[in-house]
Amino acid sequence: MDSLPESIGNELDEARQKLLRLEQEHSRCVEELKAAEDAAEESAANAKNAADELQYFVYAASHDLQQPLRAVNTHAQLLQRRFPDDEIAREFTKVIVEGATQMNGLITDLLTYSRVGNHFDPQPVHLSAPLQWALFTLNKVIGESQAQVAVGEMYEVSGNEKQLATVFENLIGNAIKFRAAAPLLIEINAQCEERQVIVSVRDNGSGIKPEYLERVFEPFKRLHSKDIPGNGLGLSICRKIMRAHHGKIWIESNGDTGSVAKFALPR
């Protein structure tokens, strides 16, 4: 058999060398990819452990803080009864009771914030169910504010009914808190699109200035006076729930004529 021409032999040698280099490069890429996957899994595990530890810490701290607060509140009320005619004692104990009550509410909200959006299995949820639960919870304040609540058609989404009820409760509760002088009207509607459902909670209240529409979702952000109850965590809780549901939440307002809180959930 005749030997190959020298030029062809050289080309074959070069091809073999290129193939060898490609195989070596492929092996290196596979090793790097495996190392990256291992690192990602380790980071995810560390993140989960850190989140679990933080949640346990918040729960334990909340429990341990609530007990002495109850004791402070109880003894302040006992002092009020012990010295009913002492104006100074009455004023001091009033401040103590109000402070302890506010701190207890803050601890409860922090505990709620740490828990929502964690470890739930999405289930088919018709939005009318969490909405009705929220309206039932708010029935007393709705009656006291003489608010009219109009509800449109709702649709089915995938999520956690209890957490979605928390979203409705916060948004409707905010509409009641920040009502204007006119009779309060709250309109709740849903729009079904191809890949998502958009829910709107519209009110005719005092509105929110455009520069604050994003800042209101920051934890502990209060844009109102201390006369209005709340710890500034409600909308932060709503946003955390929406992120866990792979949805989003936002507010639209011109600052003068009410506002519309909207959230979108995948179908």
Side-chain angles (χ1 to χ4, degrees):
M1 182 177 178
D2 296 336
S3 60
L4 292 171
E6 184 177 352
S7 59
I8 296 179
N10 292 336
E11 290 178 0
L12 285 174
D13 289 339
E14 291 179 3
R16 291 191 189 96
Q17 292 176 5
K18 288 182 179 179
L19 180 59
L20 180 60
R21 288 196 296 269
L22 287 174
E23 289 176 346
Q24 292 173 344
E25 183 69 17
H26 176 264
S27 298
R28 186 181 64 82
C29 290
V30 170
E31 291 175 358
E32 290 181 353
L33 179 60
K34 181 65 169 60
E37 290 176 346
D38 292 342
E41 290 179 1
E42 183 179 357
S43 297
N46 291 337
K48 184 180 183 304
N49 291 336
D52 291 342
E53 289 176 2
L54 178 60
Q55 184 173 349
Y56 176 78
F57 172 79
V58 172
Y59 176 80
S62 299
H63 180 271
D64 291 344
L65 285 171
Q66 284 176 331
Q67 186 173 354
L69 278 174
R70 284 193 292 267
V72 170
N73 203 341
T74 299
H75 283 80
Q77 293 179 29
L78 290 174
L79 284 173
Q80 287 178 328
R81 297 172 187 172
R82 178 67 177 81
F83 305 102
D85 300 324
D86 190 322
E87 184 176 349
I88 295 178
R90 194 164 57 246
E91 184 65 27
F92 285 175
T93 52
K94 178 183 176 183
V95 173
I96 294 172
V97 169
E98 290 177 351
T101 302
Q102 182 180 358
M103 180 61 73
N104 186 71
L106 179 58
I107 292 172
T108 301
D109 286 348
L110 278 171
L111 185 58
T112 301
Y113 182 81
S114 72
R115 286 177 168 177
V116 295
N118 298 328
H119 310 301
F120 72 88
D121 294 324
Q123 301 291 332
V125 178
H126 198 283
L127 288 171
S128 59
L131 172 57
Q132 291 304 317
W133 182 255
L135 291 173
F136 175 78
T137 303
L138 295 169
N139 182 61
K140 181 178 180 180
V141 292
I142 290 174
E144 291 173 348
S145 63
Q146 298 182 336
Q148 294 184 357
V149 182
V151 177
E153 185 177 0
M154 294 289 116
Y155 300 93
E156 186 175 276
V157 298
S158 177
N160 180 276
E161 182 175 323
K162 183 177 180 180
Q163 294 188 17
L164 293 176
T166 299
V167 174
F168 276 117
E169 185 177 343
N170 275 289
L171 297 184
I172 298 169
N174 281 348
I176 295 172
K177 287 180 186 178
F178 305 111
R179 59 186 180 272
L184 177 59
L185 173 62
I186 303 173
E187 298 174 289
I188 307 171
N189 293 289
Q191 178 182 353
C192 188
E193 298 185 353
E194 183 178 357
R195 296 184 179 181
Q196 64 180 359
V197 173
I198 300 178
V199 181
S200 61
V201 179
R202 181 184 301 272
D203 66 65
N204 60 342
S206 55
I208 303 173
K209 294 182 179 179
E211 59 265 32
Y212 295 121
L213 291 178
E214 181 62 26
R215 294 179 62 188
V216 293
F217 290 98
E218 298 174 7
F220 307 112
K221 195 65 181 180
R222 291 170 56 97
L223 304 179
H224 48 79
S225 66
K226 294 182 179 180
D227 296 333
I228 298 177
N231 295 308
L233 274 175
L235 288 177
S236 299
I237 290 172
C238 291
R239 171 163 284 183
K240 190 177 180 186
I241 291 174
M242 283 298 107
R243 286 173 175 168
H245 282 73
H246 305 290
K248 61 180 180 178
I249 185 170
W250 69 99
I251 297 177
E252 299 172 358
S253 178
N254 60 12
D256 296 319
T257 55
S259 60
V260 186
K262 295 183 176 182
F263 62 89
L265 291 165
R267 295 183 60 185

